[in-house]
Amino acid sequence: MRISKRLKKYRRQIWSGLALVFGAGLLALLVWIFHLDRTITTQFEGRRWTLPAQVYAEPTELYIGSTLSADAIEQELQRLGYRRVQELKDPGTYRRRGAQIELINRRFRFWDALQEPQKLTISAPARGIQSMRNGRGEDVPIFRLDPLLIGSIFPIHGEDRVVVRPDEVPRLLPAALKVVEDRKFYSHHGVDLGAIVRAALVNLRAGEIQQGGSTLTQQLVKSYFLDSRRTFARKIEEAMMAVLLEIHFDKQDLMNAYINEIYLGQDGRRAIHGFGLASQFYFGKPAAELQLHEVALLVAIVRGPSYYDPRRHPKRARARRDLVLELMAEHGVVDRDAAERAMERPLGIVSSKTQAGGYYPAFLDLVRRTLRRDYRDEDLTEAGLRIFSTLDPYAQREAEKALTQELERLEKARKQKKPLEGVVVITRPQNGEVIAVVGGRDAGFEGFNRALDAKRSIGSLVKPVIYLAALESGRYHAASIVEDGPVEVKLSNRQVWRPQNISHEYYGPVPLVRALSQSLNLATVRLGLEIGLPNVTQEFQKLGLEREVPQLPSVLLGALDVSPFEVAQLYNAFANGGFDTRLRAVRAVLDAEGKPLKAFGLEVTPVADPTAVYQLNQMLVQVMEHGTGRGARAYLPSGLVVAGKSGTSSDYRDSWFAGFSGSHLAVVWIGHDDNTPTGLTGSSGSLAVWARVMRSLETASLSASLPEGLEEKWIEFRTGLEARPGCGEDIIRVPLPLDVELPPADGCEVGVFDSIGERARQWWRGIVR
């Protein structure tokens, strides 16, 4: 009896313990489910994706009189992902017949207007656009193509996407996803038990997780809520969250979320999420314009974005694409003939360097720095802002090509043991727009931005600043004589500074125009000392250098570390006739709904005497005709007037060239990252890159009206003495103040009647102007 009572007592205790454990476990399970449910509803309901700011390039403007030929227009349309067709029906398509192009543009909201799709007929023979008419036959004077999406400002974890609405999703995409990834999508409740059992048997046999039975909902949970670990505990959590998602949201919401969330590839440190961005990244077009074979490839990539990367493994990707097409035909999504025609199509992947979802790290870095003055990082990486930039993709491409090809040529010709690096910055001086930034020879590499952050000794690029200070003093002009001879400067440490010309020769008395053109160090140092170091260093601040310049004699020969972007800002004032326009990379910012937030207007500030700048610029023209820039003539179109200056730092460590035309300014730097000598001067290195860049642009000659108080005179380049055509050696024409009288060159004495005639011509030119 006692034993029986004890057994009953033990049984009650055991059952009580089991009930307590079961109750505690059930409570823990309920708490866990409640936690998962709360996580889902708070994070997914009213879902707002992390939407990086999208950055667009400058739109291509078509107008009557433009020099764009039909070939150039077609190339631009192809770069934007427009599809050539026989019958024109849809936006993003075009048809060509000889010199005539018909297109239907895409709907696009610019910063100042919404442009709806319309038909446009363009007549553009080799000499340029002659006419443009809309679908009603009306003349169209100017038309903007939708701009190129050049990248995004994404958060540090690198997740990037372009969100698409259900009406922007190709009809075949959801159907293809169901056939390939989850055929019971509309019948299960988040988990497909049959698929899980099949996967479990495979995994038990292998002793590890080799196969998943995940539904689309589970894949969505994994991408949005969980990490990539493959454990049984994580699979249970994934399954439970999928069931809860199905309880709270309908199938259409889940499908649209999947289409915008799923991971589809990698571009450097940028993760490509969603079919909207993947369409741009792989095909250079919006998702709405995807064709059957393109939809099939993107669906194929879902299974393994790295394994089926069509750029790295095209055969593997094509085989998987064709399998997707086979499944689509087998399950009636498309007919067999359409699937077979699609299988015959190539992959159609755009180049990673030219695709419309491309990434320009150096320029985007400039955009990011510009916007951080007005926006928080969270706004830029999460709020879906639309940034309209000043980037000209054509200029960017030409700059990258010119730099890469010239660096390779220099390395081969000079048998460089270590690779050279380089930078190109291109601007439009009149409005300060930066249209291209190349931060290194590997333009797509996101790392150290040499264009903005490489502070290098600028060498003789400093000289125009010194000569401007001299001209502004009123004591000097282009024909003023300065001695190019030995110079000794006692320094504060009791040492003596003895600069040298690069040739180690002395040239004696020379006019300023020759000293600048031939980059004579000794004449420049003497000039700088005569006008005073304080006046020279102050000139840098006036021209836009935003830091103090040390008042040291070595600054007169460019012992000043400046970035290529800062050089562009300095020279911008020269190209602008003495007016400073702050360099800018952003035109306007819109919010996610398309409402304008900020426009970056033009800011113009007078910083130098326009008359002095005019004289300086004419001297810089002589640099290109008679000085260190004359080698550019082998590349530039005949008759194009440009101004510029070479720069070489000590021991040939840095090769520079900065110059401008009437509509563009470009700065080029070449050197080694470790600051070792290159053996290159500005003329033997950077000049060729600069000239090739300027040749590629539709640029105008430098021209400006002769300011009041100046007249043009003929002088000998070598001596600065007054001459006239047919008399004297190496005759050039320079602007000089009206009260300047020059001694004549040998045999070039100007008679009374010649002098009167010249003054009459000056008077007549003033009236004509």
Side-chain angles (χ1 to χ4, degrees):
M1 290 291 294
R2 291 178 180 175
I3 294 174
S4 178
K5 289 180 179 179
R6 288 177 181 174
L7 287 173
K8 290 180 179 179
K9 182 179 180 181
Y10 289 151
R11 285 172 183 166
R12 286 196 299 271
Q13 290 175 345
I14 290 171
W15 282 111
S16 296
L18 289 173
L20 182 63
V21 170
F22 178 77
L26 181 61
L27 179 62
L29 177 63
L30 292 174
V31 170
W32 178 64
I33 293 174
F34 177 78
H35 167 71
L36 293 181
D37 188 72
R38 186 172 179 81
T39 299
I40 286 171
T41 54
T42 55
Q43 292 188 33
F44 203 83
E45 194 167 22
R47 172 141 166 74
R48 295 293 183 269
W49 275 278
T50 296
L51 296 179
Q54 295 179 345
V55 184
Y56 292 92
E58 172 185 66
T60 297
E61 290 189 341
L62 307 176
Y63 56 91
I64 297 173
S66 166
T67 58
L68 289 175
S69 65
D71 288 341
I73 295 171
E74 182 174 28
Q75 185 179 15
E76 178 68 14
L77 292 173
Q78 290 174 347
R79 190 164 57 84
L80 291 172
Y82 277 62
R83 182 164 50 93
R84 186 168 182 170
V85 296
Q86 293 298 321
E87 184 180 358
L88 206 61
K89 296 188 301 182
D90 303 315
T93 59
Y94 75 96
R95 176 171 60 189
R96 180 174 179 182
R97 294 171 178 169
Q100 180 176 287
I101 290 180
E102 297 173 282
L103 64 90
I104 299 179
N105 65 289
R106 299 182 179 121
R107 186 178 191 269
F108 191 85
R109 181 174 292 280
F110 291 93
W111 61 92
D112 55 357
L114 173 64
Q115 185 167 272
E116 295 287 358
Q118 61 177 292
K119 181 181 177 182
L120 187 70
T121 302
I122 308 166
S123 176
R127 57 183 176 274
I129 297 177
Q130 289 187 340
S131 67
M132 293 196 299
R133 292 182 174 85
N134 60 22
R136 298 184 297 274
E138 300 167 337
D139 288 337
V140 178
I142 188 168
F143 190 86
R144 287 184 295 193
L145 295 175
D146 42 295
L148 187 71
L149 176 64
I150 60 172
S152 305
I153 301 177
F154 46 83
I156 194 167
H157 56 69
E159 188 174 300
D160 193 8
R161 63 171 49 78
V162 172
V163 173
V164 292
R165 302 187 307 271
D167 63 320
E168 296 173 325
V169 175
R171 178 185 59 83
L172 293 174
L173 178 56
L177 286 170
K178 286 182 288 184
V179 165
V180 176
E181 295 293 327
D182 188 358
R183 294 172 195 168
K184 296 182 179 180
F185 178 70
Y186 281 112
S187 61
H188 65 63
H189 299 286
V191 177
D192 185 349
L193 294 177
I196 291 177
V197 170
R198 288 192 299 272
L201 291 174
V202 173
N203 295 336
L204 285 172
R205 293 192 193 100
E208 61 180 0
I209 295 179
Q210 289 188 343
Q211 188 179 109
S214 298
T215 63
L216 286 178
T217 313
Q218 287 177 274
Q219 293 179 41
L220 177 60
V221 166
K222 176 183 175 181
S223 179
Y224 185 58
F225 294 103
L226 304 175
D227 56 39
S228 59
R229 289 177 298 170
R230 304 183 70 182
T231 64
F232 287 106
R234 197 204 64 85
K235 292 294 290 184
I236 293 172
E237 184 178 14
E238 174 190 295
M240 180 56 67
M241 294 182 82
V243 171
L244 293 172
L245 262 183
E246 295 267 358
I247 292 172
H248 287 290
F249 304 97
D250 62 33
K251 293 288 187 178
Q252 186 61 40
D253 287 338
L254 296 177
M255 176 61 77
N256 192 56
Y258 181 91
I259 286 171
N260 283 303
E261 175 62 35
I262 199 68
Y263 172 70
L264 287 165
Q266 197 73 28
D267 180 25
R269 72 178 186 88
R270 179 175 69 145
I272 307 300
H273 280 259
F275 285 84
L277 181 58
S279 177
Q280 296 279 5
F281 180 64
Y282 291 113
F283 301 112
K285 64 172 70 174
E289 297 176 15
L290 289 174
Q291 298 176 272
L292 172 58
H293 68 288
E294 295 165 336
V295 168
L297 179 59
L298 293 185
V299 172
I301 292 172
V302 169
R303 183 59 60 91
S306 178
Y307 188 79
Y308 294 110
D309 184 338
R311 292 192 178 98
R312 296 172 55 200
H313 309 294
K315 291 183 179 179
R316 189 184 296 168
R318 181 162 186 163
R320 175 72 182 169
R321 182 203 69 175
D322 292 350
L323 175 60
V324 170
L325 289 167
E326 180 67 35
L327 290 172
M328 292 175 72
E330 182 181 324
H331 290 83
V333 175
V334 297
D335 61 57
R336 175 66 59 181
D337 289 343
E340 290 179 353
R341 287 195 301 271
M343 290 180 192
E344 294 173 0
R345 299 287 297 272
L347 291 178
I349 300 299
V350 295
S351 165
S352 60
K353 291 187 177 181
T354 60
Q355 43 86 9
Y359 188 52
Y360 299 83
F363 186 86
L364 286 174
D365 187 22
L366 175 60
V367 170
R368 188 183 296 110
R369 297 188 198 194
T370 300
L371 294 173
R372 277 178 178 162
R373 296 197 293 261
D374 300 290
Y375 299 94
R376 302 174 304 159
D377 281 347
E378 293 81 3
D379 296 327
L380 298 177
T381 59
E382 299 177 6
L385 300 180
R386 303 179 73 201
I387 314 299
F388 291 92
S389 79
T390 60
L391 179 79
D392 180 341
Y394 175 79
Q396 177 76 25
R397 184 168 63 249
E398 291 300 314
E400 292 176 5
K401 183 170 68 174
L403 179 64
T404 300
Q405 291 179 353
E406 280 301 316
L407 291 182
E408 290 175 353
R409 183 187 67 81
L410 289 169
E411 288 168 348
K412 183 178 180 180
R414 294 173 175 266
K415 299 180 180 179
Q416 294 275 347
K417 294 182 179 179
K418 60 178 67 175
L420 291 165
E421 270 298 347
V423 167
V424 181
V425 177
I426 309 175
T427 75
R428 294 192 185 101
Q430 286 73 19
N431 55 24
E433 291 180 345
V434 181
I435 64 172
V437 179
V438 185
R441 68 186 301 163
D442 184 1
F445 174 73
E446 184 175 12
F448 181 58
N449 191 344
R450 297 171 187 83
L452 304 184
D453 297 325
K455 302 291 196 297
R456 304 293 292 243
S457 177
I458 59 174
S460 293
L461 288 189
V462 76
K463 289 175 180 174
V465 179
I466 301 168
Y467 284 71
L468 177 60
L471 293 167
E472 285 190 305
S473 73
R475 295 154 46 196
Y476 298 89
H477 50 75
S480 295
I481 301 301
V482 63
E483 181 70 24
D484 186 78
V487 175
E488 293 186 356
V489 180
K490 293 183 179 180
L491 306 177
S492 58
N493 58 6
R494 296 185 179 180
Q495 291 185 337
V496 177
W497 182 52
R498 298 182 178 88
Q500 293 288 328
N501 283 324
I502 196 169
S503 65
H504 296 282
E505 298 179 4
Y506 306 125
Y507 297 91
V510 295
L512 259 61
V513 63
R514 179 186 173 191
L516 180 60
S517 297
Q518 295 184 339
S519 202
L520 302 181
N521 291 342
L522 298 176
T524 301
V525 169
R526 194 179 302 277
L527 179 66
L529 294 175
E530 287 178 1
I531 61 176
L533 284 173
N535 292 324
V536 172
T537 55
Q538 183 184 11
E539 198 75 44
F540 281 99
Q541 270 73 51
K542 288 168 54 182
L543 295 173
L545 188 63
E546 296 179 345
R547 51 197 168 88
E548 190 173 341
V549 177
Q551 294 187 21
L552 299 173
S554 57
V555 168
L556 299 174
L557 292 184
L560 178 66
D561 293 341
V562 180
S563 73
F565 191 79
E566 289 174 317
V567 171
Q569 185 68 71
L570 289 172
Y571 273 66
N572 188 73
F574 302 153
N576 241 0
F579 292 88
D580 174 52
T581 52
R582 291 283 88 187
L583 297 184
R584 59 187 182 132
V586 178
R587 284 182 172 177
V589 179
L590 306 185
D591 66 13
E593 283 72 45
K595 297 177 181 177
L597 294 180
K598 181 169 183 176
F600 291 75
L602 182 63
E603 300 177 9
V604 181
T605 306
V607 293
D609 176 20
T611 300
V613 174
Y614 180 88
Q615 295 176 77
L616 174 68
N617 287 350
Q618 296 307 306
M619 293 164 68
L620 292 175
V621 169
Q622 295 303 325
V623 172
M624 308 304 296
E625 299 295 335
H626 294 82
T628 56
R630 62 185 180 276
R633 281 293 152 210
Y635 300 88
L636 297 176
S638 176
L640 180 66
V641 180
V642 292
K645 186 69 187 77
S646 60
T648 311
S649 66
S650 60
D651 298 324
Y652 303 96
R653 299 175 189 274
D654 302 276
S655 169
W656 290 90
F657 200 88
F660 47 92
S661 64
S663 52
H664 295 93
L665 180 149
V667 175
V668 179
W669 168 85
I670 292 175
H672 290 306
D673 282 339
D674 61 4
N675 206 29
T676 53
T678 65
L680 298 170
T681 64
S683 299
S684 64
S686 294
L687 176 62
V689 179
W690 181 90
R692 290 185 56 172
V693 166
M694 295 299 283
R695 180 182 63 187
S696 69
L697 303 173
E698 284 188 25
T699 196
S701 284
L702 179 66
S703 64
S705 298
L706 185 71
E708 291 185 8
L710 296 179
E711 64 177 339
E712 291 182 334
K713 285 190 175 182
W714 293 96
I715 67 169
E716 279 190 339
F717 176 76
R718 185 176 59 84
T719 64
L721 298 175
E722 187 169 7
R724 49 185 170 167
C727 178
E729 299 178 7
D730 209 0
I731 306 302
I732 63 171
R733 200 168 191 174
V734 295
L736 298 174
L738 290 173
D739 58 356
V740 170
E741 296 291 341
L742 299 175
D746 291 342
C748 293
E749 291 79 4
V750 180
V752 174
F753 293 103
D754 289 332
S755 179
I756 293 174
E758 178 62 24
R759 293 187 183 278
R761 283 191 293 273
Q762 293 287 349
W763 173 80
W764 175 251
R765 279 196 296 270
I767 292 176
V768 171
R769 283 200 303 272

